[in-house]
Amino acid sequence: DIQMTQSPSSVSASVGDRVTITCRASQGIYSWLGWYQQKPGKAPKLLIFAASNLQSGVPSRFSGSGSGTDFTLTINSLQPEDFATYYCQQTNTFPLTFGGGTKVEIK
Amino acid sequence: QLHLQESGPGLVKPSETLSLTCTVSGGSISSNNHYWGWIRQPPGKGLEWIGSIYFSGSTYYNPSLKSRVTVSVDTSKNQFSLNLTSVTAADTAVYYCARSGNYYYFDHWGQGTLVTVSS
C-alpha cells in the first residue's frame, strides 16, 4: 500500500494567515492526489483533485501543488470557516489511501 | 442535486455482519464514469477506504478488509450496499458512502452513519 504522511498533524493560525500543509507519498503517485476538508460531525468535502485542480465551488484561496511524492495544500488568507481537518488522498494505486489528517486550529 | 443517504443498524454484535445501504437520489447510479464507494472513520481517527463498485458490478476492495467485505449494487433501486462480516470492536466507525469519478476522487458524500460493534 502507498502510505500518505501529512505534516504537521495540527497547526494553529489566525484569520488572515497563510497556512501550508504537506503530504508525502511513500512512492511516486504522479499527480494523483486529492485534498479534502472535514468539519466536526460532517462528511469530508473535496477541495482539490489531480494535485492542483480546484473542485467546482471551492474558493480560490485554496490551492494545491506538487507531483511525484511531495504535495502541498495552501490556504491563503485563512477564513473562520476554514478551521477544520484536512486530508490528502492518493488515487494512483489501489488501495486508495488517505493521509492521517492536519487539524487547522484557531490561534 | 445528487444526494446519498446511508441506512442500516447502528449497533452490531461482535462476530456478526454489518450491513449498510446507500440510497442515491438526484442522479442515476448507472451513470457512466462514476464509481460508488464506502469509506469509514473510527471515532477521532482518519479515513479508510473500504471498497468501490461500478454499476456493472465491477468491484475494488481494500486488501486489509477484502476477506470480509462485499459491496453490491441494485440499479433498480438506485442503491448500493456494504456487507462486512465477522465484525469486532475495531470495526466501530462512522461509515460513509460516496461517489467518485474515473479517477477515484470522492466528490459527493453521504452524511455518514455511526456503527458501533458491541454486545
Side-chain angles (χ1 to χ4, degrees):
Chain A
D1 298 5
I2 297 177
Q3 308 302 317
M4 306 301 293
T5 303
Q6 287 183 234
S7 60
S9 56
S10 66
V11 58
S12 294
S14 301
V15 172
D17 285 353
R18 170 186 288 183
V19 171
T20 299
I21 299 168
T22 296
C23 179
R24 175 164 287 175
S26 60
Q27 61 191 75
I29 58 170
Y30 302 96
S31 295
W32 299 116
L33 186 102
W35 288 99
Y36 297 82
Q37 175 193 67
Q38 186 179 34
K39 297 181 179 180
K42 300 295 187 182
K45 172 187 173 183
L46 180 65
L47 300 175
I48 302 279
F49 63 95
S52 60
N53 293 272
L54 203 63
Q55 176 70 355
S56 176
V58 174
S60 59
R61 63 181 179 272
F62 291 93
S63 63
S65 64
S67 66
T69 60
D70 295 314
F71 301 86
T72 299
L73 173 70
T74 299
I75 312 172
N76 283 305
S77 188
L78 196 69
Q79 297 301 298
E81 60 267 31
D82 301 336
F83 292 96
T85 300
Y86 294 83
Y87 293 94
C88 60
Q89 177 212 1
Q90 67 83 19
T91 67
N92 183 72
T93 307
F94 286 117
L96 308 176
T97 49
F98 293 86
T102 296
K103 186 174 184 179
V104 177
E105 301 175 297
I106 301 173
K107 181 183 283 185
Chain B
Q1 178 76 0
L2 191 73
H3 183 73
L4 291 82
Q5 180 68 57
E6 305 89 351
S7 59
L11 181 64
V12 180
K13 289 182 168 56
S15 79
E16 295 190 343
T17 296
L18 180 160
S19 295
L20 296 174
T21 295
C22 183
T23 300
V24 179
S25 57
S28 173
I29 204 168
S30 301
S31 63
N32 289 331
N33 303 320
H34 288 122
Y35 291 79
W36 307 91
W38 290 97
I39 302 100
R40 70 180 183 178
Q41 185 171 37
K45 296 189 178 181
L47 300 163
E48 180 181 32
W49 172 72
I50 299 170
S52 293
I53 190 166
Y54 195 58
F55 75 90
S56 63
S58 298
T59 52
Y60 305 88
Y61 296 133
N62 192 324
S64 68
L65 298 168
K66 187 174 183 177
S67 64
R68 300 193 292 129
V69 169
T70 302
V71 179
S72 58
V73 63
D74 186 337
T75 55
S76 67
K77 295 181 179 179
N78 229 31
Q79 296 176 334
F80 63 106
S81 298
L82 169 69
N83 273 5
L84 181 66
T85 63
S86 304
V87 297
T88 69
D91 296 310
T92 294
V94 174
Y95 286 76
Y96 295 100
C97 61
R99 185 191 81 169
S100 68
N102 278 338
Y103 302 109
Y104 304 105
Y105 302 105
F106 296 102
D107 60 359
H108 284 86
W109 296 65
Q111 66 184 23
T113 187
L114 174 64
V115 179
T116 302
V117 178
S118 175
S119 55

